[in-house]
Amino acid sequence: MPLSKLRFCVLSIAVFLLTSISIDAAPETIYLSNAVWTVEIVPRSLAVETYPADSGVSLPISWEQTGFNNITEFTQEDNTVSWRLPEHFLTVRFELIDDSLSVEFIQDKRTNDALSLTWPVIKDFESLRGYILPFFEGSYIPKDDVIWRDFLSERGPINTTAGLSMPFWGLHLNQRTLTYILTNPFNNQIRFNKTLTALGMQVSHTFTPNWEEKRYGVRISLDAASPIAPAKQYRHWLQQNAEFVSFAEKIEKTPAAEKLLGAAHVYLWGGKLLSQYDVTDWQTLVTRLSSHSGIAKHIWTQLNAEARKAVREIAQSAYPSKYVRRVVSRAISKQLEKPDFYNPTIWTEIPVTSETGKLISRDISTLSLTEVYRRNCLLFYAAFSDTLRHPGEWGDGLSVKLLEQFAENGLDKLWLGVDSWQDGFRHLTAVAKAKELGYLIGPYDSYHSIHHPNEKDTWETAQFDLTLYETGGIVNADGTKSKGFKKKGYHLSPLVAQPYVENRVNGIVEQMPSDFNTWFIDCDAYGELYDDYSTSHPATQLDDMRARLARISWIRDTHNMVVGSEKGAAYSAATLHFAHGMTVPVIGWGDPDMKSKTSPYYVGGYWPPEGPAIHIKQVPLKSKYLYLYYDPRFRLPLYQIVFHDSVITTHHWGSGSLKFETAIETLALLELLYNVPPLYHLNIEEFSKHKAWIKQHYAFFSPLHRQIGGREMSDFEWLSHDKQIQRTEFGNMVEMYANFGTDPFRHKSIEIPARSVVARWIGTGKIEMFSVE
């Protein structure tokens, strides 16, 4: 008999003899066994190995540690074993159920001390080929890859709610895949350790004193070798625990969510009242503005020195530059937003429409912000109507002009986001037009940070009131307040923010004759969750998560909104309709070269407002980031395997489809292979520049996504040794083939040209192709 078979028989006998034992001291080694595998546990080191029933070859699950020698209350019954570690105030429990090993560590309620536990510890071993990790969409990391080893080991501890999109990882072995699922995703950190030839990892959990029940758990399973086995296991685990909500179910609750199927995602820029495109006769307008008479004189006196200089330059040029036209339109827009723009003594000579007459007859205190904007724009138009488009047509990115261009070019399904709800206030006609065309349109919003009301360098979403600023900040364990985004202000407790959420959203909706139909809430689904040690609003990370999801749900259900957030971490998937930041996340956040104006990799700043360079400017990307974030050899559609038929995800707004010029083509192929929408930043100029590419991609993507965007991604596989040929399958309906290489490839009867994606309908054999060559 082979040695491996003999050992397996001995293990089985040992398990039979220990089916029910209760003693104070634990055996040196414990065996749990069933028809699938045998698990060997060493209690005093927490080392664990497994022996698959069909091979008997050992596979390590966790390496040995020190410090666990003192063991009491050991109990074993069938395939469940437990014992206490009194020095650590912990109970350890292992249970083998079919193809899963459940491991739990429970801290005694008798102690309230914070305790950190490390388990599992994973080191290199012969059959380990690579790590399967849900970094953003998903990553495959060969254990001996130097670039990945350096990147991960230098990254430091990784929070498992913010650093992982889903709370699991996998070990890709020669013939097997081991999956580890964190059943408690909170208060965990992963740390990677490199050696000269390989990469190891360890996971630590902190039992914090603010939890009522302090429990850390890992569910481990064994599958045949597959890069998507961990995602399949996690999806199954969610379904078993009734935590998976399909997109079809979400459409039943919020019918407008169906509009996401087939939609490209677009952020619109240039939301000021008057754009450069709204002046039909610049020469006449600036001549009259500089005449210093009547209303023109009043407007002229309000212009700053830069705007006056620009007016003079336009007057002297037959072809004024974009820069000076923007300066003047910006300056006029600023005046048109002022409540005191209308002065009865100045505007007496201007004939007005009945709508304008009604608005100017009302006391300013009774006008909403949208009515102030409308009144002022109508007055300005009445005074200079021979030089302007009608105010209903004004705007750049958010304008009837651009929306009609979208429709005329066949873009019939779009998600449209604006930088501020103020853009919607300024362009009510455009909002109504977007909805008429069948688009989703809504604002960016956030409740992540709170600033002092007198903060100079602030942003509108961080402004609430002084009382909330003084009392609503999240408190760290050491009693200090948690600093907000970019170290400004504080992180705002979601437990006390809800009344302010309702007041803000209700107030915005009430001012709009045609409401927004979608809402984007930044940060809440990113995974940055907090333990709050405030005495007035204490919270665990679980409480924090629940409060964030509650406000998203409130917006969704109260106003029938299609809701989205940043990234779309697993805990948010049942609540959200869409997320931005999963397919490609933020890249190079702390890289000085991407912030230096002298660097070729400078991503740009937040100027000009008509098209911030940080979103619009196309730049190359460092080869290191191309390798880590775009190289198809290291990408896995893990999130799509789990959630493709639940949440629509795309890129972070800082890493849009057209941002990094050296990644555009590869990203387009990935979008189609994964069946996820593109994300663009557009205004009138940018759409004109990129229209041909956008139309080509949309023509292939949109019809497909309408059919399979709400279906499960049921399979993924590499079809070539170099991983340049990949295949996905959706609900036994459509299979997608991507060739990222430079040579054509034939798979069975399907020809896949270089740098192309081929869609094949399984039932009919119909073929369609998209190529970037």
Side-chain angles (χ1 to χ4, degrees):
M1 179 182 291
L3 181 61
S4 61
K5 296 292 185 181
L6 177 61
R7 183 173 188 181
F8 182 72
C9 290
V10 172
L11 299 185
S12 300
I13 293 169
V15 172
F16 176 76
L17 294 174
L18 294 175
T19 54
S20 183
I21 284 183
S22 180
I23 56 178
D24 199 45
E28 287 297 319
T29 306
I30 305 163
Y31 300 100
L32 308 179
S33 184
N34 60 25
V36 179
W37 51 349
T38 294
V39 176
E40 178 185 283
I41 305 162
V42 181
R44 287 176 176 80
S45 68
L46 295 181
V48 181
E49 287 189 70
T50 181
Y51 300 86
D54 59 358
S55 73
V57 177
S58 69
L59 301 173
I61 289 175
S62 183
W63 268 250
E64 63 181 12
Q65 302 180 66
T66 59
F68 301 108
N69 285 326
N70 189 6
I71 292 176
T72 63
E73 300 178 29
F74 176 82
T75 301
Q76 180 169 4
E77 184 173 353
D78 297 326
N79 273 333
T80 301
V81 61
S82 67
W83 63 89
R84 287 198 68 245
L85 298 172
E87 294 175 0
H88 300 276
F89 302 100
L90 285 175
T91 296
V92 183
R93 185 177 185 273
F94 284 75
E95 183 177 12
L96 188 64
I97 307 172
D98 298 328
D99 64 349
S100 298
L101 174 66
S102 172
V103 184
E104 285 193 308
F105 300 87
I106 305 103
Q107 188 179 30
D108 299 350
K109 291 187 177 181
R110 71 190 76 176
T111 180
N112 210 32
D113 295 336
L115 168 70
S116 181
L117 171 77
T118 297
W119 198 92
V121 174
I122 299 167
K123 298 181 181 179
D124 183 33
F125 57 103
E126 185 178 354
S127 62
L128 177 62
R129 297 168 61 188
Y131 292 88
I132 298 163
L133 289 158
F135 291 148
F136 52 102
E137 175 64 57
S139 300
Y140 181 80
I141 301 166
K143 70 173 183 179
D144 56 356
D145 187 282
V146 175
I147 294 175
W148 274 105
R149 287 209 317 262
D150 291 346
F151 175 70
L152 292 176
S153 61
E154 293 167 6
R155 185 172 173 178
I158 298 170
N159 179 306
T160 59
T161 54
L164 302 183
S165 59
M166 299 169 286
F168 68 79
W169 67 92
L171 304 184
H172 194 214
L173 315 178
N174 287 334
Q175 303 297 327
R176 303 282 184 174
T177 298
L178 270 173
T179 295
Y180 300 70
I181 296 174
L182 295 169
T183 56
N184 175 4
F186 309 106
N187 301 102
N188 307 313
Q189 289 187 334
I190 295 177
R191 184 183 292 275
F192 288 90
N193 307 296
K194 70 175 180 177
T195 66
L196 290 176
T197 58
L199 185 70
M201 65 176 282
Q202 60 186 46
V203 184
S204 298
H205 175 79
T206 300
F207 295 92
T208 57
N210 56 340
W211 283 75
E212 179 67 25
E213 184 179 38
K214 300 162 187 174
R215 185 183 297 263
Y216 167 59
V218 184
R219 179 185 181 273
I220 300 156
S221 57
L222 185 66
D223 292 280
S226 166
I228 59 170
K232 291 270 192 178
Q233 285 284 352
Y234 182 62
R235 177 184 171 93
H236 179 63
W237 185 78
L238 289 175
Q239 291 171 331
Q240 281 185 318
N241 289 277
E243 295 181 17
F244 182 88
V245 179
S246 72
F247 198 70
E249 293 174 278
K250 295 176 182 180
I251 290 175
E252 286 183 13
K253 190 169 186 176
T254 311
E258 187 276 335
K259 295 178 184 292
L260 286 169
L261 297 177
H265 291 228
V266 179
Y267 280 100
L268 299 172
W269 295 97
K272 296 299 183 184
L273 284 167
L274 184 73
S275 78
Q276 60 170 319
Y277 305 104
D278 303 322
V279 179
T280 57
D281 187 343
W282 275 103
Q283 292 297 321
T284 300
L285 177 63
V286 298
T287 299
R288 288 168 61 184
L289 284 177
S290 55
S291 65
H292 309 303
S293 61
I295 291 177
K297 179 180 179 181
H298 172 70
I299 294 173
W300 176 264
T301 59
Q302 302 298 312
L303 297 177
N304 60 25
E306 182 189 26
R308 292 182 186 182
K309 180 181 177 182
V311 167
R312 296 189 186 99
E313 185 173 330
I314 293 172
Q316 297 168 5
S317 174
Y319 300 100
S321 70
K322 174 177 67 177
Y323 172 79
V324 292
R325 285 182 280 126
R326 281 180 169 178
V327 168
V328 175
S329 58
R330 239 180 258 147
I332 294 173
S333 293
K334 186 175 181 180
Q335 288 194 43
L336 295 176
E337 292 185 9
K338 294 179 179 179
D340 61 356
F341 178 78
Y342 172 66
N343 184 331
T345 62
I346 297 174
W347 291 88
T348 53
E349 299 177 2
I350 302 299
V352 296
T353 63
S354 59
E355 179 188 2
T356 312
K358 290 177 182 177
L359 289 170
I360 64 177
S361 68
R362 289 170 55 187
D363 187 274
I364 186 64
S365 63
T366 69
L367 296 178
S368 67
L369 203 53
T370 58
E371 289 171 328
V372 170
Y373 293 165
R374 178 70 173 169
R375 180 200 66 178
N376 294 349
C377 290
L378 289 172
L379 284 169
F380 186 73
Y381 175 72
F384 302 96
S385 59
D386 56 332
T387 68
L388 302 168
R389 295 176 181 269
H390 189 274
E393 302 174 55
W394 287 4
D396 188 346
L398 181 54
S399 67
V400 171
K401 302 186 291 293
L402 184 55
L403 296 176
E404 288 179 340
Q405 285 189 49
F406 289 157
E408 289 166 3
N409 282 278
L411 308 182
D412 59 334
K413 297 195 83 172
L414 296 172
W415 178 91
L416 303 173
V418 292
D419 182 47
S420 163
W421 56 82
Q422 292 282 349
D423 292 4
F425 287 175
R426 298 180 188 111
H427 300 290
L428 298 174
T429 307
V431 172
K433 182 67 175 179
K435 293 172 66 177
E436 176 191 321
L437 292 169
Y439 301 152
L440 291 167
I441 183 164
Y444 168 96
D445 195 5
S446 177
Y447 302 90
H448 188 63
S449 296
I450 183 168
H451 295 170
H452 192 283
N454 296 331
E455 173 69 49
K456 292 181 180 180
D457 183 21
T458 188
W459 44 87
E460 64 182 355
T461 59
Q463 283 298 322
F464 298 92
D465 60 35
L466 183 59
T467 299
L468 189 63
Y469 175 78
E470 293 176 340
T471 64
I474 289 172
V475 178
N476 299 317
D478 63 2
T480 61
K481 289 188 178 180
S482 178
K483 289 292 186 180
F485 181 64
K486 292 189 174 181
K487 304 299 180 183
K488 292 179 65 66
Y490 308 122
H491 287 125
L492 175 60
S493 165
L495 277 69
V496 298
Q498 187 61 28
Y500 294 85
V501 174
E502 296 181 16
N503 184 61
R504 177 185 289 176
V505 176
N506 287 338
I508 292 169
V509 170
E510 287 168 4
Q511 292 194 60
M512 301 191 66
S514 183
D515 300 345
F516 292 122
N517 56 6
T518 184
W519 210 271
F520 182 85
I521 308 95
D522 196 7
C523 302
D524 282 358
Y526 179 76
E528 199 172 43
L529 305 174
Y530 297 93
D531 289 298
D532 189 350
Y533 293 90
S534 162
T535 55
S536 58
H537 44 79
T540 64
Q541 291 185 18
L542 176 62
D543 298 327
D544 184 282
M545 179 201 78
R546 286 173 172 166
R548 291 172 187 274
L549 296 181
R551 67 182 172 214
I552 297 174
S553 299
W554 180 87
I555 295 170
R556 180 195 66 201
D557 299 338
T558 303
H559 294 286
N560 196 32
M561 295 281 187
V562 176
V563 291
S565 187
E566 184 179 9
K567 194 169 79 173
Y571 66 79
S572 68
T575 302
L576 295 178
H577 296 118
F578 69 95
H580 292 167
M582 186 59 67
T583 313
V584 181
V586 175
I587 296 175
W589 178 255
D591 190 327
D593 289 338
M594 297 179 78
K595 299 178 184 297
S596 170
K597 294 181 179 180
T598 61
S599 167
Y601 304 108
Y602 175 54
V603 294
Y606 291 92
W607 194 262
E610 295 84 2
I614 195 168
H615 301 306
I616 299 294
K617 178 187 176 186
Q618 292 185 288
V619 296
L621 191 62
K622 286 184 175 181
S623 58
K624 167 187 172 181
Y625 297 132
L626 286 170
Y627 192 88
L628 295 170
Y629 292 98
Y630 292 95
D631 193 319
R633 294 174 298 168
F634 309 117
R635 290 196 56 119
L636 290 173
L638 301 180
Y639 194 91
Q640 299 311 314
I641 288 290
V642 180
F643 291 123
H644 186 267
D645 53 341
S646 178
V647 188
I648 309 297
T649 59
T650 181
H651 320 299
H652 192 274
W653 51 95
S655 306
S657 296
L658 302 176
K659 176 62 181 177
F660 299 112
E661 57 192 12
T662 45
I664 291 172
E665 293 182 353
T666 296
L667 184 54
L669 299 180
L670 285 167
E671 289 165 350
L672 298 177
L673 178 67
Y674 294 176
N675 193 236
V676 298
L679 183 142
Y680 305 118
H681 292 275
L682 298 177
N683 53 26
I684 289 174
E685 180 181 8
E686 288 301 304
F687 183 60
S688 176
K689 186 188 304 181
H690 301 294
K691 179 167 55 179
W693 173 265
I694 291 171
K695 287 176 63 177
Q696 179 192 0
H697 188 280
Y698 184 89
F700 188 88
F701 162 78
S702 185
L704 259 175
H705 196 253
R706 296 176 209 213
Q707 294 183 52
I708 62 175
R711 290 180 176 268
E712 176 189 357
M713 180 190 277
S714 49
D715 199 12
F716 166 85
E717 58 183 329
W718 297 306
L719 298 180
S720 63
H721 180 72
D722 63 3
K723 299 184 176 66
Q724 294 295 328
I725 314 298
Q726 301 181 11
R727 173 186 171 273
T728 54
E729 183 178 319
F730 298 88
N732 199 34
M733 182 179 181
V734 174
E735 54 184 358
M736 306 290 294
Y737 295 88
N739 183 348
F740 295 97
T742 55
D743 297 315
F745 186 89
R746 187 175 181 83
H747 178 71
K748 298 180 181 178
S749 62
I750 301 170
E751 193 73 30
I752 314 164
R755 307 291 290 163
S756 299
V757 164
V758 171
R760 177 183 175 272
W761 277 256
I762 295 170
T764 65
K766 174 186 171 184
I767 296 283
E768 289 188 1
M769 187 185 74
F770 176 92
S771 178
V772 298
E773 289 289 280

